[in-house]
Structures are given as C-alpha cells and as structure tokens.
Amino acid sequence: MSNLRRRKGSEPEKFPESESLINEDEKKEVIETETEEVKKQEVVNKKKKKKWSCIDSCCWFIGFICSVWWFLLFLYNAMPASFPQYVTEAITGPLPDPPGVKLRKEGLTAKHPVVFVPGIVTGGLELWEGHHCAEGLFRKRLWGGSFGELYKRPLCWVEHMSLDNETGLDPSGIRVRPVSGLVAADYFAPGYFVWAVLIANLARIGYEEKTMYMAAYDWRLSFQNTEVRDQSLSRIKSNIELMVATSGKKVVVIPHSMGVLYFLHFMKWVEAPAPMGGGGGSDWCAKHIKAVMNIGGPFLGVPKAVSGLFSVEARDIAVARAFAPGVLDKDVFGLQTFQHMMRMTRTWDSTMSMIPKGGETIWGGLDWSPEGGYDCGGKKAKNNHSRTTGQNGLGSTKSVNYGRIISFGKDAAAVHSSKLERKDFRETAKGHNHAETACHDVWTEYNDMDVESFKAVSDYKVYTAGTILDLLHFVAPKLMVRGGAHFSYGIADNLDDPKYEHYKYWSNPLETKLPYAPGMEVYSLYGVGVPTERAYVYKLTSGGAECHIPFQIDTSAEGGSEAPCLKGGVFSGDGDETVPALSAGFMCAKGWRGKTRFNPSGIPTYVREYDHAPPANLLEGRGTQSGAHVDIMGNFALIEDVLRVAAGATGDELGGDRVFSDIFKWSNNINLQL
C-alpha cells in the first residue's frame, strides 16, 4: 500500500476533496490489513508452540528421571535406617537376628585372630604407574569399585590390567598393585558385598581391625610370583606371627574361592627352607594356625576354567552371544570384545591354578564319572545332619556322563566311546594364519593356527580331564609353558620324591601333603543345590572377523525332558554355581579324611554344606540362605559356623559334617590310593 501511495502522490492534484476521502479509506484498509496479518501471525505462533519434537520428549524424560532420582535419594537419606527392615518384616514376618547379634546374646566373644584370604577377581587393584592414556589415575582402582575407567577408556584399561605375556609379571611402564586393608575386598562394587557381612558380624562379638587381617594379593599373578614381586607371602607370614604374638592365640584362616589354593600354597611355602620358601620350619603351621575354614574351595579345579581359557566363555557369556550373534566377536566401535578379553585373561597366570586336577581318576573318563546317576530334575529331601545318605532322586531321565568335559556336538557327548570316530589332533602340523598381521593388539594364540588346525581340534570330538591339558597345549602353547612352570595337575605316586619340594606342586592337594599339625582343623564350607557348570558342548565357528575365536559353546544344544542337565550347551551338576561339589568336598570327605598319605598327621577334616535357598523377595537382597559361590558369604548359617570356630569351638562342637549332596558317595566312586 505504501508503494501505491507514492505513485498516487506523483500525479497532479485534480480533486483535493475526493483525494482526502480516498486517503482515509486507504488508511482504514491498511489498518485492517495489518490487523489481519498480526492475527494470522499470532495463530501461526500458537501452532508452532503446540508442536512437540523428539528433543523435547528426550529432555523432558531426562528431567523426569533426574527429578525422581533426587527425590528417592532425598527419601533414602531422610528415612530412618530401620525403615527397610520394617517394610521387609511387614511383608515376610520378623527377621532372624544376624549371627553376630545372636551369638553375642549367647555370650560368645572374640578369641582367635582372623585372617581373610580373598579369591580371584574379588580383591581391589589400583594403579601406581601407567602409560599416557592413564593420566590422572594414580592410586585409583582399576579393578573393583565403580569400574568407571572400564567404561571411559576400555582399551587403556585392558592394556593396564594385562600382564606380560612372556614373564607373567608387569609390562614395561605399568605397575598395578593390590589395595591393602579390609577395604581391599569387603565390597566388589558399590552395594555388592564380598567380605563385608562377615566382617560386620565378627565386629558384633568384639573383633576389630587389629584382630582381623585381609591378606590382599595380586590375584592375577601365579602364587609364587606374588612373593617374587610383592613379597605377599612374607607379609602374610609376618602378620600372622604378629597377631599370634600380641593375642596369645592361634589364628583362624578363612580363604575363599581361589584363595583356598593360594593358602594351600602358603602352608607349604612358609615351612619350606629359603630361598624358595619362607623358612618357618616344619612346625610353623602347628604353632600358628587353629583352623583353616575354606569357603567354596576349588581344590581339584573347575571346568569353568577350561571354557574360560579355551573360548573366554561361561554359561552367561554364551547366552549373551546367542542373543547377539557375532556382535561381541566383531570390531564394533573399535572394540573386539572377546579378543581383548582373551588377550587380557590369558596373561593372568592364576587362572591356570584352577584347571581340573587329577585327570580321569577324579573327573571321569569317556564312559563314566563319579557323579553318574545324578538327576538334575530330582528334588532333594532336606537333611541338616546327614553325612552319608545321598539325597538326589534318580528319575527316568538319561544318566549324564560328566567325564567328557568338552564335546564337539551334542551327539558326541552322548554316544558310547566305541562308536566315536576320532582323529588325533596332536599329530596335526599347525599352519600359519596370515590374519596375524591384521590383528595387531588383539593377537591371541589362535592367530598362529590355520583352519586345518581348528578342524583337527573339533574332529577329536571329545576331551576328558586327561586330554584337556593336551588340548590347551595345542591351542595355547605359550600360555601353558608359563602355567606349567607354576602349577601341576596330576596325582603323586610317591610324595616323598624330592621333586615335590618344588613350588609348582604346592597348590595341588593331590601332589602335596598337609602340614604336620594334628591340633589344626581343616573345613570345607560350600554351597549346593545350584546348577553348576560341569561339561560343555562346543561347535567350530567360521567367524566373521580375521581375528575371530574359532570355538564357541553351542547354545542350541538342549537336553529337553530326557536330559535336563543339558541347557544352552552346558551340562550342569551339583555345586555352588561355580565350583562343583566334587571339587569343593572330595579332599575333606576322603582325600584328607583320617591319616592318609596326603594328611600324614591326621588333621581333623569337616564337610559343611549349605543348601541353596534363593531370597523370598527383592527386599531380601541376595538372601541369607544362599549357596551361590559369592552370595554364600552372606549366608547366616555359614557365618555362624565361622564365628563359633573363631570364638573357640571345634568341628565336633559344630556338629561334625553337615551334608545335603551325595559327596561321600561320589568320593567313594573315585579310586584313589590313600
């Protein structure tokens, strides 16, 4: 309209009066037009405001989550400490007193100093020296705690958690050391206890830090190398001597998981002459130790260690692989997860301490196993004091032969040995895999094998505890050379042979003697009633990456109703989810029972089993009656047994053996010279 006015203004003025009227009309039109435009703009703006974008939704959702989180955090800090217990009791009824409270009411007090020996992976590790990528992590936990660095810089974390592939010690420029004190293993991660519940209950009957000692060590190293690098065995010796000297009482030692093998090694080391041993003399254990209460001890190894070394798998990992086939094996976002995990864990020499010991004599052969007849679907009749009666019912299901620890194919796991067609892999010449040059920092020993070598391994069909070592020597020779220098897996013919004075035999109870200490007691405390990995069905994979791991648990192998022990490619037996009952219980049930060549002084031994009962509801957390490998550390019955012994009770005063499984029957099925 303004342009229109300019044009009209340039014309000669002919009708002044009519022009003024036109100008007024034009002004009205302009005003009306502008008003309409403003109204239209307002409508448009309103429509724009009503639009809800994806970004708006995300921001709102994040804000909502943060608000709820802060509100719940406020409630948690504001509510009385007894509120969760009040809610739990309102639902489940009154909770029993914790063992420490119960025993304090009975008048029990602290007597014998207590030494804790943590197992594999449960002890914290912190950085003392690292490469440039670990800047700012001095004395920060790399293992345990929140595992924050694993998420922030995973490749750097793997690099610093790995040991030297040749020496089994620190790589150049890296020093990772165990955390010291009770905090080293009280919690594995925030909210996930290991020793914390036991420590708290000991405190309730009068224990404090001066009467409790956490024997922290770097669980990645071979046992003897913990002394070579950190003098960990010497520290344990001096701390025990100090506790005995200041209290006037012998110590009660409580090892858990791999810590059981570590302390078995210690008892031989401390009495052996220097420089290989601690030079304490043949009566050191008799003078300093009242009892050794082994919790979840893998005395004879665990099949899980084999699958971990062979394909860096266990039941849970295999299931995850089945849900996302190929994803974890490939180079996703620059992370070849399984290859990095295998490269790292194969530098941890300690894992080789848990390879099954005793060969087919202990674990069974092609057509038999000590647990033959075990019914995975059978229900057990509860019995708190039985020592010889097996509780597992025998149904109409097929008997499982657990002696075949690895089978390639479901059929190979079941067919009689006379029908097995096998080719000996040990005669196969290993070719060279040209993918090695492309694998760079995810190199594993599989890169030194070709396709024919992989096929030769699978064509052998079945591996027992007697041939597992040959298999590992074939697929991981460098790993086994290091392992063979520090650990042994056989059965001694003559324990008086001088060769058994070498430290590589000290953690194998079948190739070493208990100390001469008739006044000492040895306990085996472990959970039962939890499906535990005992044998595996494998398959050969073609892989989708140059550096792939060629063997994988076959999760499609299912036993169905005829063989319920086979699920997802894993045969389960009785145990605590990690350690089979056979491994945890045999030595105390038979190998060390009475005076034997493995127990020359007749140290009293006791088997104490804890039947697994899962928590009734979420409010119970991990439960107080769990028999699972780590959760058992919060089992009230186990804690009560430990506290009573620490307060002075003997095994007979506890009630002797407490057995729910068929451990005595299975032990009698093993023909071992005693």
Side-chain angles (χ1 to χ4, degrees), residues 158 162-166 336 338-347 430 432-449 475-479 482 546-549:
V158 167
S162 300
L163 296 169
D164 186 273
N165 201 38
E166 300 291 336
Q336 291 165 306
F338 275 96
Q339 289 85 340
H340 281 294
M341 288 299 296
M342 176 169 281
R343 185 198 68 161
M344 179 178 71
T345 56
R346 279 192 174 184
T347 67
K430 289 200 291 184
H432 184 70
N433 188 344
H434 296 290
E436 180 188 354
T437 55
C439 292
H440 301 296
D441 59 346
V442 291
W443 176 88
T444 68
E445 293 192 67
Y446 284 130
N447 307 131
D448 290 337
M449 298 173 64
V475 301
K478 291 184 179 179
L479 171 82
R482 292 199 323 271
E546 289 179 314
C547 308
H548 80 288
I549 296 170

Side-chain angles (χ1 to χ4, degrees), residues 117-140:
V117 187
I120 192 168
V121 309
T122 55
L125 300 174
E126 61 187 18
L127 183 70
W128 280 80
E129 181 184 2
H131 293 162
H132 181 71
C133 67
E135 190 71 30
L137 297 182
F138 176 67
R139 294 208 64 200
K140 298 286 181 65

Side-chain angles (χ1 to χ4, degrees), residues 15 93 167 223 298 397 472:
F15 307 101
T167 65
F223 301 158
T397 57
L472 293 175

